[in-house]
Amino acid sequence: AKCSTQRAVVFRTRVQQRFSTEKTIKPLNFNEHCANQVKKLDYPFYFASLFMNPAQRQATLALRAWNIEIASIKSNVTNSQLGEMRIQWWKEHLDKLYEGEPSNTPISLALGQAIAHHDLTKAFFTKILNARAKDLHVIQPRSLSDMEHYCEQTSSSLLYLNLEILGVKNSTADHAASHLGQSFGLTTFLRAMPFHKSDIYLPMDLTMKHEVTQNDIQKGQVDERISNVIFEVASQANNHLIWARELKSKLPKEAVPAFLPSAFYEDFLRRLQKENFDPYRPELLEHGFAPRVIATKNYY
């Protein structure tokens, strides 16, 4: 706690000095920027942040806004080399953030503040960046197991960081975060299919099993074979939700806000099943009733 307090003071001092010396740059409302980004592009975690205190909420929104930027690199570059350059920039910039030297951009300032105030573990950020770098070269995941590993490296690592923001150090919470991260990640792959039709988000072992080709997937239409593949991925995502919920009674109450987004993912999986595992159905493009479920039952 003493270390994080000292780091926060250093961060605040350096940012104030920068703004006072760089006259051409106006102070940015970086927390508001991150909140707007997350509300628009990662609503489950925006909603969950409403159940946190102000400092925790700002840090959570900074973390999720950073993730939005990192996750979008692959789809925003024309080749993997450009993506590698962008991720390498973030690896080097991460070193600067831990030295209290953010750049004058909203996400950098907000993330630097979160790192300083909550003493966030650098290794989790590095693990996410390394996984994203490897994914730049992946045309189609080799197996469902590979997808789970990728989700553990990315989505679960984000939840570990969120637990640190909430001040939770608990092995049961970490175990739940591992399962939920994998569930969130697998579900996100399925949700993304209508928006990234040129990408292959279904694993090769299952597409071969059900005799589905890459061209079949890229048509953006679901037949019985593709539906069977999606069913298997969705079933594993749901299994991870179930395994996480088995730990609920042993969790510290402070951990609950980090896991509230699970209601959104569970709701999507339920509606996906009703649509015969066709993620292209327009009924699935919006969030369902999950926010009301969270508010009334306060469960994950």
Side-chain angles (χ1 to χ4, degrees), residues 12-299:
R12 186 164 54 249
T13 301
R14 288 181 176 176
V15 170
Q16 289 173 343
Q17 289 175 342
R18 179 171 298 179
F19 283 144
S20 65
T21 56
E22 297 183 17
K23 302 299 183 181
T24 59
I25 299 178
K26 297 180 180 179
L28 298 172
N29 192 338
F30 48 87
N31 291 318
E32 182 178 352
H33 171 87
C34 291
N36 290 338
Q37 285 289 97
V38 178
K39 185 176 183 179
K40 179 181 178 181
L41 300 172
D42 194 2
Y43 186 78
F45 283 90
Y46 174 83
F47 189 87
S49 74
L50 300 177
F51 293 83
M52 304 174 189
N53 69 41
Q56 293 170 345
R57 182 168 188 262
Q58 288 181 357
T60 295
L61 294 174
L63 177 64
R64 301 308 303 192
W66 174 79
N67 181 60
I68 290 169
E69 177 160 326
I70 299 304
S72 67
I73 290 176
K74 185 176 182 179
S75 59
N76 287 338
V77 296
T78 55
N79 59 67
S80 59
Q81 186 175 8
L82 292 175
E84 289 174 349
M85 291 171 62
R86 184 61 183 164
I87 289 176
Q88 181 60 36
W89 182 90
W90 265 110
K91 287 181 178 180
E92 295 172 359
H93 189 60
L94 192 63
D95 293 334
K96 295 182 180 179
L97 289 181
Y98 274 85
E99 295 169 359
E101 294 287 346
S103 64
N104 288 341
T105 61
I107 292 177
S108 177
L109 288 165
L111 190 62
Q113 177 179 260
I115 289 170
H117 283 238
H118 300 279
D119 199 22
L120 301 181
T121 301
K122 186 179 180 182
F124 291 134
F125 289 103
T126 302
K127 188 178 293 187
I128 293 167
L129 290 170
N130 287 340
R132 293 289 186 184
K134 290 181 181 179
D135 185 57
L136 292 170
H137 303 279
V138 175
I139 298 175
Q140 180 180 12
R142 290 181 303 175
S143 66
L144 181 57
S145 177
D146 279 358
M147 291 178 70
E148 289 175 287
H149 178 71
Y150 174 78
C151 294
E152 162 67 29
Q153 298 290 299
T154 54
S155 296
S156 296
S157 291
L158 288 165
L159 289 177
Y160 299 145
L161 287 165
N162 222 150
L163 289 174
E164 291 187 343
I165 288 170
L166 296 173
V168 175
K169 295 182 179 180
N170 179 276
S171 59
T172 301
D174 289 342
H175 192 185
S178 175
H179 283 303
L180 288 177
Q182 291 176 72
S183 178
F184 295 176
L186 292 176
T187 305
T188 298
F189 277 122
L190 299 180
R191 287 203 67 190
M193 287 180 65
F195 306 102
H196 302 276
K197 292 181 180 179
S198 62
D199 295 322
I200 309 297
Y201 289 144
L202 300 177
M204 192 178 300
D205 60 343
L206 296 184
T207 56
M208 291 178 64
K209 173 182 174 181
H210 295 283
E211 300 181 346
V212 174
T213 67
Q214 290 186 2
N215 287 336
D216 291 332
I217 298 171
Q218 291 173 328
K219 290 177 182 177
Q221 298 177 342
V222 172
D223 58 20
E224 183 178 359
R225 297 167 304 140
I226 297 176
S227 177
N228 288 334
V229 175
I230 294 172
F231 165 75
E232 293 203 41
V233 176
S235 295
Q236 190 64 356
N238 191 60
N239 285 340
H240 282 292
L241 272 177
I242 293 171
W243 294 329
R245 290 232 170 92
E246 291 174 350
L247 303 170
K248 183 177 180 180
S249 63
K250 302 177 183 178
L251 279 179
K253 64 179 182 179
E254 293 81 6
V256 171
F259 301 150
L260 289 180
S262 62
F264 288 84
Y265 293 91
E266 180 187 38
D267 178 63
F268 175 81
L269 292 173
R270 185 187 298 113
R271 290 185 292 127
L272 179 64
Q273 182 180 19
K274 289 182 179 179
E275 300 297 335
N276 197 27
F277 299 97
D278 182 353
Y280 299 99
R281 297 288 295 175
E283 293 84 355
L284 296 173
L285 298 182
E286 299 293 334
H287 292 296
F289 65 91
R292 286 185 286 132
V293 173
I294 295 174
T296 56
K297 294 188 177 180
N298 193 33
Y299 80 107

